[in-house]
Amino acid sequence: MLEINVLWETFLEILLILLFILCRSRFNGCMRSLLVNGDAVPIVSLETSLENADCCPSIQEGITRSSVMSLNGFGFAVIDTVQSRSINTDFTFRSYSPDGDIIRFIGENDTIAVLSLERGKIKLQTHLDETVSTHNYYNYGKQVAVSCVTKNSSVICGISSDRFNDSLNAAVGDFTVNKAMIGSTVNETDRFAGCITNLTISGRAIDAWRDVKEFSGLQPYCYDEVSECKSVLIS
């Protein structure tokens, strides 16, 4: 009985603190769930004024939190890969930004190939100074599927969305990939802003937290999902 009273007092203290913070600072956002000592607290019991009950971003079906890597235009994520003489990768991405490095494959001393956005188009550039770009624009905030393979000393990337389809082919020659990078660490370059989901490299699904060895500004959700939310006012 004593333990129940202690838990109940703890719950009330946390709830009062939460209400104090919300009322004092006029929280303007959304809250999906609240746990106290492992028990779910029904937030709907609070007096709220909801413009959109679905405001809080949720992970889409088929996408787990470990498969989402989101950058806000200032970050990067480095992924160690098994040394490989081929580039085989699949992923989907979403972005509204016109420019920014999406994914870069790095060898011992230089970049082997980089896939980037440039004025809304997707550009593939290799260390042999081969550069090709899509005919269509892909920075309109919808899912874009990318699949790249190495064949006959060239990198071939298939790109598709709900509107367009493109194919990129650039000579890459002989190489060895040691790691991959999402975004960029170079201040002078435009950095990717958006999210990448279900990334695989050489057939291995990349876990956003287990496989990333170095990162900055990495989040496990899509920024553009958040920006589409309407505000929820709790007063």
Side-chain angles (χ1 to χ4, degrees):
M1 188 66 181
L2 179 61
E3 182 179 353
I4 294 176
N5 289 334
V6 171
L7 291 176
W8 178 246
E9 290 176 1
T10 302
F11 164 72
L12 290 178
E13 289 176 0
I14 294 175
L15 188 58
L16 288 173
I17 292 172
L18 178 62
L19 289 173
F20 173 76
I21 293 173
L22 293 178
C23 294
R24 183 185 180 194
S25 59
R26 301 287 295 179
F27 174 76
N28 187 9
C30 58
M31 188 175 297
R32 181 171 293 279
S33 60
L34 173 65
L35 295 178
V36 177
N37 293 327
D39 295 324
V41 177
I43 294 178
V44 291
S45 65
L46 302 177
E47 292 184 4
T48 61
S49 173
L50 302 180
E51 291 185 25
N52 184 354
D54 295 324
C55 167
C56 291
S58 59
I59 300 301
Q60 297 179 3
E61 184 178 354
I63 298 176
T64 63
R65 287 194 178 276
S66 64
S67 73
V68 178
M69 288 184 284
S70 186
L71 297 174
N72 61 1
F74 299 95
F76 67 92
V78 177
I79 303 164
D80 286 341
T81 64
V82 177
Q83 286 194 347
S84 174
R85 294 184 177 275
S86 64
I87 293 175
N88 296 289
T89 185
D90 296 274
F91 61 89
T92 59
F93 80 89
R94 293 194 297 163
S95 179
Y96 287 105
S97 295
D99 303 289
D101 290 351
I102 303 173
I103 186 167
R104 179 182 298 264
F105 291 90
I106 304 170
E108 185 67 31
N109 299 310
D110 62 350
T111 295
I112 306 302
V114 57
L115 206 64
S116 61
L117 281 167
E118 186 174 274
R119 297 183 179 180
K121 296 184 176 182
I122 298 177
K123 181 178 74 173
L124 172 63
Q125 184 174 8
T126 71
H127 64 150
L128 300 181
D129 290 330
E130 287 271 333
T131 303
V132 290
S133 298
T134 60
H135 297 291
N136 299 297
Y137 298 88
Y138 290 92
N139 63 324
Y140 58 93
K142 298 297 182 181
Q143 292 281 3
V144 179
V146 179
S147 180
C148 298
V149 297
T150 305
K151 186 176 181 181
N152 298 329
S153 299
S154 294
V155 177
I156 303 171
C157 294
I159 299 161
S160 62
S161 69
D162 61 340
R163 300 181 185 178
F164 310 116
N165 291 282
D166 276 285
S167 181
L168 301 177
N169 189 325
V172 71
D174 295 328
F175 63 90
T176 300
V177 171
N178 293 323
K179 59 184 178 181
M181 178 185 293
I182 306 297
S184 174
T185 58
V186 182
N187 292 330
E188 289 76 15
T189 63
D190 294 304
R191 301 189 184 185
F192 177 74
C195 67
I196 292 177
T197 57
N198 297 331
L199 171 65
T200 66
I201 297 177
S202 298
R204 177 170 65 96
I206 301 301
D207 187 299
W209 307 109
R210 183 188 62 208
D211 298 322
V212 172
K213 305 303 179 185
E214 181 183 358
F215 66 90
S216 176
L218 184 66
Q219 297 291 341
Y221 54 79
C222 291
Y223 280 96
D224 49 356
E225 284 186 12
V226 175
S227 66
E228 292 172 355
C229 285
K230 295 182 180 179
S231 63
V232 176
L233 179 63
I234 300 178
S235 58

